[in-house]
Amino acid sequence: MDASFTPEQDEIRRTLRDLLRHTCGPEQLRAALDTPAGHDPRLWTDLAARLGLPGLALPEAYGGVGCSATELALAAEETGRALAPSPLLATAVLAAPLLLALGTDGQRAGLLPRITSGRLTAALAVPGALATALALTGTNRGDWAGGGRAGGVQARRGGGGWRLYGEVGQVLDGHSADLLVVAAHAGGFARSRTLLFLVPGDAAGLVRVRQTALDATRPQGRLQLRDVSAELLGEEEADGLDALAAVGNTAAAVLAAEAVGAADRALERTVGHVVQRVQFGRAIGSFQAVKHRLADVYVQVQAARSAAYYAAWAAGRGEVVGGLALAQALQALRTAAAEGIQLHGGLGFTWEHDAHLYFKRAAGDELLFGPVHRLRAHAADAAELFDGRVAANNMAGGGPLG
């Protein structure tokens, strides 16, 4: 692995940071959160037109830039620093890769160019826990989408096509996305299987409501599908669960980089405060206890950054380490945000200050994609880290069992 960045990668970071500095400051951020969509459409247009961000990791054949997950992670690191509310995660990180992996030639040609241009936003709707569906905290072969029983989303053939019934909560950008990628069960209980379907945002029978989320910078919606006509994504023989797991690994690496960006910015703001805040005739940043606390945060952030960069690089080579990197990054963000609130003193607890936004991002991401201990536990189970046979064999001096 070459740890250095190319000039193009550095340019992506510099350009995006400069753009967000001028278009996503504290005032613009809070104004965007109060809009019905929860983000500024003009910012999304700028990100698409000036940087091609929605299609950064999509092939050039569909109007994309043709970059790898590394470039997407670097971009996410910058959006994380600004806590920029945008459809980037839902559209470019979760939905678009599924369209690319499973879609027919016609579906790809009709949808992906519109995504890369910023004219189409998309969202992934999975009943149950999103982290489980993406195979981050458990196997996605279970009943996370209803298992063919009551609940979840059910798909039935009817009227020459497919009809969907059910409800999905906590869908990122689900209340505003132009296109929904919905995971649903077909075949009833005995022969249940999970398929992915395309549903336009204005489909008849679809009811969408924005939910109140802990992290307002990640707007979420609740969907009700009442006999909604849907188009099957790809072919019936395609394995949607494997595709979700593959997307989950890459998404975890991108999310880890985003969390690192937020943690780095929270630490940066805290350091800026403690070198200016004076108590007992000296800056509080000069106290040894404060130095030690911030040094610990710095070490965590740098370690999480290394893990996120490696996970993004490894995702393109089929190595499944995104969950571990995400766990380390979420822990670093929670620590940086909590220390920031503490060291800002009474100012850090006010609604007007931005410190609480970073803490809510940390807590909200753990609710959606964690928690940290489950991310690590699943990675350990997948690696058979605590398997009795492997441990016994290693203690005896042998290698891992086949």
Side-chain angles (χ1 to χ4, degrees), residues 96-190:
L98 288 171
L99 299 177
L100 180 63
L102 299 177
T104 64
D105 292 340
Q107 288 171 337
R108 294 174 184 171
L111 297 173
L112 292 180
R114 295 166 60 197
I115 286 179
T116 58
S117 67
R119 293 182 290 113
L120 181 73
T121 58
L124 173 62
V126 294
L130 179 60
T132 302
L134 296 176
L136 296 177
T137 58
T139 175
N140 65 354
R141 300 288 173 179
D143 59 355
W144 56 269
R149 304 173 178 86
V153 178
Q154 308 302 321
R156 301 174 186 171
R157 291 186 183 274
W162 290 91
R163 315 292 296 187
L164 301 185
Y165 310 80
E167 183 175 297
V168 188
Q170 294 184 304
V171 180
L172 291 172
D173 293 330
H175 61 296
S176 61
D178 302 315
L179 177 70
L180 300 171
V181 180
V182 182
H185 269 282
F189 176 72

Side-chain angles (χ1 to χ4, degrees), residues 45 48 149 170 184 209 235 256 259 321 340 353 357 388 393 397:
T45 300
R149 304 173 178 86
Q170 294 184 304
V209 179
E235 307 294 338
V321 294
H353 200 275
L357 295 177
N393 188 62

